Amino acid sequence: MSARILDGNAIGASIKAELAEEVKALRAIGVQPGLAAVLVGEDPASQVYVRSKVKTCEQLGLYSAHIAPPASITTAELLALVAELNARDDIDGILIQLPLPKHIDSKQILRAIDPAKDVDGFHPVNVGLLSTQQPGLVPCTPAGCVEILRRSNIPMEGKEVVVLGRSNIVGKPVAMLLMNESATVTVCHSRTHDLAAVCRRADILVAAIGKAAMVTPDMVRPGATVIDVGINRVTDPKLFEQLYAGDAAREKQFAEKGSTLCGDVHPRVMEVAGAMTPVPGGVGPLTIAMLMYNTVLAARLKRGMAPSR
Ligand code: NDP
């Protein structure tokens, strides 16, 4: 058996096409949703992420401001910048690209963002709204996981879900969202006993651990749906060989670039699962689509308009 591929690129493209239409209609009544993307310093990976977020804004007709203070900015100066963005009328969403340099108090910065503009959904107010099932801005990657399930017609209600990972960014919010969808949710972490046995209970397994190929076929119930959130760069030729020997496209990429992206789920889980997200091309494209969704939603809510769905 080979799992049905849950194609995040295709699902993300549909969401973006819907949003482009919505933005067109909003602009026709004089509303252009705007996102401020703040990138402190020059971390190359963060630069790639922010560039692609700004580019997607442009594609969908959103206004975007790319703000790039130097790595030497102080917490007080960054707080002042956040206050300025909170007050700006043309900005509906504020994104502070993480991680911030170590000398900056990240929690204080994230708490300073107006919850109504917190398009990453990390502000304690939005965390509270999510956990009490009230409308708010929901973290993008977790929202993307649920959107993949919903748009792939995979039922969540009453299903056994196991979430691997309990981070504030992925594990906890995705567990909360799935609970809100009436799934029966178990959250695992590094202290969980007999992880494989717990995972095998899952109808839907969400892996957000940050360890390449850690979820092996013996941990997956045959036919289960597997959502692989992990993004890990594999550079070790030996590990590459173990994971991808015989995969011509990957071998070509590895030979050219010296690396490939691998999820938290072993590629051979494809032989056991009923449906599975690939890496790359699974959850990743949904994260950016949901960021755009949140920016448009924030713009609507600020003007007293109802959410589009
Ligand atoms: P964190 O490092 O913050 O959290 C990892 C979690 O996994 C922790 O709860 C940790 O447990 C748990 N864990 C670690 N090792 C084990 C183990 N051996 N057995 C069981 N549990 C374990 O990671 P994030 O949540 O931020 O990210 C997870 C992955 O998702 C990463 O690969 C990241 O790159 C990716 N990611 C992808 C995104 C996307 O757009 N697709 C967006 C965000 C993240 P404990 O709490 O006990 O330490």
Side-chain angles (χ1 to χ4, degrees):
M1 193 172 87
S2 186
R4 167 186 165 205
I5 305 273
L6 304 176
D7 183 349
N9 283 322
I11 298 170
S14 314
I15 296 170
K16 285 193 279 186
E18 289 161 21
L19 285 171
E21 283 303 307
E22 192 178 338
V23 172
K24 208 162 132 193
L26 285 170
R27 288 181 67 171
I29 55 166
V31 176
Q32 184 180 26
L35 175 73
V38 179
L39 170 64
V40 178
E42 284 164 11
D43 176 62
S46 296
Q47 281 176 334
V48 171
Y49 291 140
V50 169
R51 262 202 304 273
S52 93
K53 288 166 186 174
V54 168
K55 196 169 135 214
T56 310
C57 281
E58 285 163 9
Q59 283 165 354
L60 303 191
L62 277 76
Y63 167 72
S64 65
H66 184 178
I67 301 164
S72 58
I73 193 170
T74 63
T75 299
E77 287 164 342
L78 196 50
L79 283 172
L81 173 61
V82 169
E84 189 191 307
L85 295 171
N86 282 342
R88 265 173 70 172
D89 241 9
D90 58 342
I91 297 297
D92 299 291
I94 302 171
L95 172 133
I96 309 282
Q97 185 64 42
L98 299 176
L100 287 168
K102 286 198 170 43
H103 67 275
I104 289 178
D105 182 345
S106 301
K107 285 195 174 134
Q108 200 186 349
I109 300 295
L110 296 183
R111 270 201 310 270
I113 298 174
D114 177 350
K117 295 191 177 189
D118 168 40
V119 282
D120 262 336
F122 297 152
H123 192 286
V125 166
N126 283 317
V127 176
L129 290 170
L130 173 61
S131 72
T132 52
Q133 263 185 296
Q134 297 178 71
L137 295 167
V138 173
C140 303
T141 301
C145 294
V146 172
E147 206 58 32
I148 289 178
L149 293 168
R150 193 178 288 135
R151 289 180 184 243
S152 306
N153 298 314
I154 294 170
M156 292 171 263
E157 187 178 325
K159 298 297 178 190
E160 283 269 0
V161 174
V162 174
V163 176
L164 283 175
R166 56 172 165 179
S167 73
N168 292 331
I169 294 176
V170 188
K172 281 185 205 156
V174 83
M176 201 60 78
L177 279 169
L178 288 160
M179 214 188 308
N180 291 350
E181 295 291 333
S182 298
T184 303
V185 182
T186 304
V187 180
C188 300
H189 43 76
S190 63
R191 315 287 168 84
T192 299
H193 290 171
D194 203 353
L195 192 65
V198 180
C199 290
R200 275 194 299 272
R201 294 209 311 252
D203 298 308
I204 300 171
L205 184 63
V206 181
I209 325 165
K211 297 216 154 55
M214 206 197 97
V215 177
T216 44
D218 61 301
M219 297 167 77
V220 178
R221 180 203 283 191
T225 296
V226 179
I227 304 290
D228 188 356
V229 183
I231 301 179
N232 310 288
R233 193 168 289 282
V234 171
T235 52
D236 174 13
K238 237 170 152 177
L239 178 60
F240 177 83
E241 188 66 18
Q242 277 170 26
L243 297 175
Y244 298 112
D247 180 335
R250 292 259 189 191
E251 282 172 350
K252 182 167 179 280
Q253 184 196 43
F254 196 76
E256 283 168 9
K257 288 177 67 181
S259 69
T260 191
L261 289 184
C262 172
D264 289 343
V265 178
H266 195 289
R268 283 198 41 226
V269 169
M270 275 288 177
E271 295 161 20
V272 182
M276 182 164 152
T277 57
V279 175
V283 175
L286 266 291
T287 299
I288 199 149
M290 298 318 289
L291 175 70
M292 300 298 125
Y293 173 79
N294 274 351
T295 305
V296 175
L297 176 63
R300 296 182 83 94
L301 296 178
K302 193 168 88 182
R303 292 162 179 86
M305 299 160 81
S308 57
R309 66 188 166 100

